[in-house]
Amino acid sequence: MAAETTSTSPTIDPYQFLPFSRSPDGTVTRNNNIIFLKPIAGEDLDPRVFFKDVPINSSNNTWIRIFLPREAIDSSSTRKLPLIVYYHGGGFVLGSVNDSIFHEFCSNVALEYPAVVVSVQYRLAPEYRLPAAYDDSMEALNWIKTTQDELLTKHADFSSCFLMGPSAGANLAYHIGLRVAAQVEDLLPFKIKGLILQQPFIGGVKRTESELRLMNNQNFPVCLCDLIWELSLPHGADRDHEYCNLTMGGGSDLLDRIKQHGWKVLITATTGDPMIDRQIEMVKMMEQKGLQVKSHFDEGGYHGIDLREPEKRTAIPVIMKDFVTSAMAQQ
C-alpha cells in the first residue's frame, strides 16, 4: 500500500475507530458491546506451540501468557531459549494478550526463533491512565525475576532477554527499557540483550511533515493518535509529555545507561505511518548517543501493517531473528 498524500486539515471522526463515545459533558465511555479485535479461537491455535496463562496481580487483573515450542518441552536437551517479553499494541486503550493477532504473533515467534515468549496483559486507559501500563509491565518483569514456574526456570535463558512490542507495545518496551536500565542490578538474573520496537507509537504537540502529509490517512489518521493520547496520558498532560514525546524528560540521559549496558535496539517502521518522521528522529537520537541501533523502514505501508498484513513485510521476521541471534552472540 503506497503512502498517501492528503489534506492537512482533519476530516475524520476518530471515534469511528474506537469503542468509545463522548458525552456532552466531555466524559468518555467505553462501549463494551463493541468488539474491535477478535479473541483467539480453537481453530487459530498452533498445536506445535504450548501456552499457559499465569496471574500476576489479581487486584489489577493483570496476567501473562507463556509460549514455548512443544518440541522444547518434549526434548531431553538442557539448552535454554532466549526469553522475549512481549507487550501488545492497541494505543494503551485497546488490546489483550488473548486477541488473535497478538496470540498468533507470539506463537509464531516462539516457534520460529525458537524462544520462550511472555506476553503481558496490562491495564488499559482511560480507566487506568499511564503510567499504569508501565507499572504493570515492570511488575511482570519482577515476577519473572523471582518465579519458580518450571516453564521459565527450565527453558528460558534469563541472561538473554529481549523486550518487544508493536505500536503502543513498542512505546512500552522502550520506557520499560529505560526503567530497567536505571536499576539493572535489581532485576538480576534477568538480563536484557536488546529492544525490538515495531512502529513505535510516539508523538508531540508540534506537527511533523509526515503527520501533515498523512493527516487523514484512512488506516491511522492523526486525529486518532491525538484522541488516544488524550485518553491515555495523565490528566492535564499534553503530547509533549515524556511518555509521548521522547525528546522530553530524562529519557535521553537514561539512553546513556542503555549504551553502557551494551543493549542493542531494533526499530522497524513504514513510510506510510504518520509517525515515521518521529520514528526516524528516534533512531537519530539513539545514534547520537552512541547506541547500537539498527533500523528498517519500508516504503509505503501503514501503521499496524506488521500485524494486519504481515505477508506484505516478509523481510521483518528475518531481520528480527537475525537481530536476536546477533545480540545473543554479543558478550
Side-chain angles (χ1 to χ4, degrees):
M1 179 176 182
E4 56 191 279
T5 301
T6 60
S7 167
T8 57
S9 298
T11 61
I12 296 174
D13 175 12
Y15 282 96
Q16 69 178 285
F17 293 86
L18 298 176
F20 295 97
S21 58
R22 189 185 292 274
S23 303
D25 63 0
T27 58
V28 175
T29 304
R30 185 184 294 271
N31 301 319
N32 288 318
N33 61 324
I34 300 177
I35 299 176
F36 270 65
L37 297 172
K38 185 183 75 169
I40 192 71
E43 62 270 19
D44 301 317
L45 302 178
D46 190 326
R48 297 171 296 173
V49 179
F50 176 83
F51 70 91
K52 180 178 89 167
D53 295 342
V54 181
I56 297 295
N57 186 322
S58 57
S59 297
N60 293 333
N61 196 28
T62 57
W63 49 285
I64 61 170
R65 177 166 292 175
I66 304 171
F67 299 78
L68 73 161
R70 289 187 183 274
E71 184 178 10
I73 299 176
D74 299 337
S75 172
S76 60
S77 171
T78 58
R79 182 177 74 91
K80 293 189 174 184
L81 304 176
L83 174 60
I84 296 177
V85 182
Y86 182 83
Y87 306 105
H88 67 75
F92 303 111
V93 299
L94 296 174
S96 166
V97 166
N98 200 48
D99 292 329
S100 61
I101 57 173
F102 304 126
H103 179 101
E104 290 171 7
F105 181 86
C106 291
S107 183
N108 288 337
V109 168
L111 186 66
E112 294 171 6
Y113 278 49
V116 177
V117 179
V118 174
S119 185
V120 179
Q121 183 61 54
Y122 50 86
R123 287 172 292 172
L124 300 177
E127 295 86 352
Y128 302 98
R129 291 173 174 267
L130 295 173
Y134 301 140
D135 295 340
D136 294 344
S137 299
M138 277 302 299
E139 186 175 32
L141 289 190
N142 279 294
W143 180 90
I144 293 171
K145 165 189 130 175
T146 59
T147 186
Q148 296 302 308
D149 190 295
E150 188 172 286
L151 286 179
L152 294 178
T153 58
K154 184 177 179 180
H155 299 288
D157 182 355
F158 281 30
S159 66
S160 293
C161 303
F162 298 82
L163 305 183
M164 173 192 284
S167 189
N171 180 298
L172 270 163
Y174 173 80
H175 282 287
I176 296 308
L178 294 182
R179 287 193 183 190
V180 174
Q183 51 179 336
V184 165
E185 300 300 322
D186 295 338
L187 280 173
L188 293 175
F190 188 92
K191 294 182 182 179
I192 291 179
K193 288 282 191 177
L195 310 178
I196 304 173
L197 314 178
Q198 300 170 266
Q199 297 188 295
F201 183 60
I202 50 181
V205 170
K206 185 178 179 181
R207 298 295 190 208
T208 65
E209 186 280 330
S210 62
E211 288 170 342
L212 294 172
R213 175 171 51 87
L214 297 166
M215 179 67 67
N216 293 305
N217 176 276
Q218 293 299 309
N219 290 290
F220 205 80
V222 174
C223 61
L224 177 58
C225 299
D226 294 349
L227 175 58
I228 289 174
W229 285 118
E230 177 188 336
L231 295 174
S232 57
L233 286 170
H235 285 291
D238 64 19
R239 295 191 306 277
D240 277 340
H241 191 283
E242 63 189 280
Y243 296 159
C244 176
N245 188 335
L246 304 188
T247 65
M248 300 294 179
S252 179
D253 293 335
L254 289 174
L255 289 177
D256 290 329
R257 298 201 181 190
I258 288 180
K259 176 186 175 182
Q260 292 167 10
H261 299 318
W263 301 357
K264 301 184 73 172
V265 182
L266 172 64
I267 298 176
T268 65
T270 66
T271 61
D273 186 339
M275 288 169 275
I276 183 63
D277 286 352
R278 299 188 186 278
Q279 294 154 353
I280 291 173
E281 181 183 27
M282 183 181 186
V283 171
K284 290 179 179 178
M285 179 177 71
M286 291 183 176
E287 289 175 339
Q288 289 169 358
K289 284 286 185 177
L291 271 68
Q292 302 177 70
V293 57
K294 177 179 176 61
S295 60
H296 180 84
F297 302 133
D298 278 348
E299 288 294 324
Y302 57 89
H303 191 84
I305 191 173
D306 286 16
L307 293 166
R308 291 165 61 182
E309 297 184 278
E311 67 279 3
K312 292 187 177 181
R313 300 197 76 200
T314 54
I316 297 302
V318 176
I319 291 169
M320 289 183 176
K321 186 172 182 179
D322 288 348
F323 173 83
V324 169
T325 301
S326 63
M328 288 177 62
Q330 180 175 296
Q331 298 298 319

